[in-house]
């Protein structure tokens, strides 16, 4: 798994690619952590367009990131969540923890406020 990271209007956009499962989930944690640590009020957007699978370890990483961002009064948004990943998030009752947007433009605009 690899993760592209870029900035737009003060929003950190992470684009993981592949499977967020098992040991590879720690790669996403390593990509997110510095983004949270270096910002006073982190605003992070995760684009799931190129993610084809997430397991419980991956969900744990997402929850940890969400908790770290919340402690700093930041926000986490998601876009392009597949049906499979959405079902997993809904079944695990985590759906209300992430702000969902229809596309990147809406997400950057919404998280910038």
């Amino acid at each position: 798994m690899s993760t592209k990271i870029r900035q737009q209007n003060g929003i950190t956009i992470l684009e993981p690619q592949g499977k967020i499962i098992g040991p590879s989930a720690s790669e996403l944690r390593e990509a997110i952590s510095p983004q949270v640590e270096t910002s006073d009020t982190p605003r992070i957007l995760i684009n799931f367009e190129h993610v084809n699978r997430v397991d419980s370890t991956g969900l744990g990483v997402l929850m940890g990131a969400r908790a770290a961002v919340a402690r700093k009064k930041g926000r986490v948004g998601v876009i392009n969540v597949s049906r499979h990943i959405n079902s997993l998030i809904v079944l695990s009752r985590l759906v209300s923890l992430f702000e969902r947007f229809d596309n990147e433009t809406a997400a950057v605009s919404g998280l910038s406020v």
Side-chain angles (χ1 to χ4, degrees), residues 9-23:
N9 293 350
I11 309 298
T12 300
I13 302 170
L14 291 108
E15 298 177 332
Q17 298 185 5
K19 299 175 182 176
I20 304 174
I21 59 173

Side-chain angles (χ1 to χ4, degrees), residues 11 37 57 71 90 104:
I11 309 298
E37 291 171 10
T57 305
R71 280 192 294 275
V90 169
E104 186 173 311

Side-chain angles (χ1 to χ4, degrees), residues 46-74:
I46 304 172
N47 182 348
F48 283 94
E49 183 175 10
H50 301 290
V51 175
N52 51 26
R53 189 162 171 227
V54 176
D55 69 1
S56 60
T57 305
L59 284 178
V61 168
L62 294 172
M63 291 304 307
R66 169 64 174 82
V69 169
R71 280 192 294 275
K72 291 184 134 189
K73 308 273 192 249

Side-chain angles (χ1 to χ4, degrees), residues 28-99:
L28 181 59
R29 180 183 305 115
E30 291 170 6
I32 293 173
S33 291
Q35 308 308 316
V36 174
E37 291 171 10
T38 59
S39 176
D40 291 334
T41 309
R43 299 187 188 288
I44 295 177
L45 174 63
I46 304 172
N47 182 348
F48 283 94
E49 183 175 10
H50 301 290
V51 175
N52 51 26
R53 189 162 171 227
V54 176
D55 69 1
S56 60
T57 305
L59 284 178
V61 168
L62 294 172
M63 291 304 307
R66 169 64 174 82
V69 169
R71 280 192 294 275
K72 291 184 134 189
K73 308 273 192 249
R75 296 169 63 191
V76 178
V78 296
I79 58 173
N80 298 319
V81 179
S82 71
R83 285 185 183 162
H84 169 73
I85 296 170
N86 185 60
S87 295
L88 182 62
I89 291 172
V90 169
L91 288 172
S92 58
R93 298 183 177 154
L94 304 176
V95 71
S96 64
L97 298 180
F98 300 98
E99 296 181 57

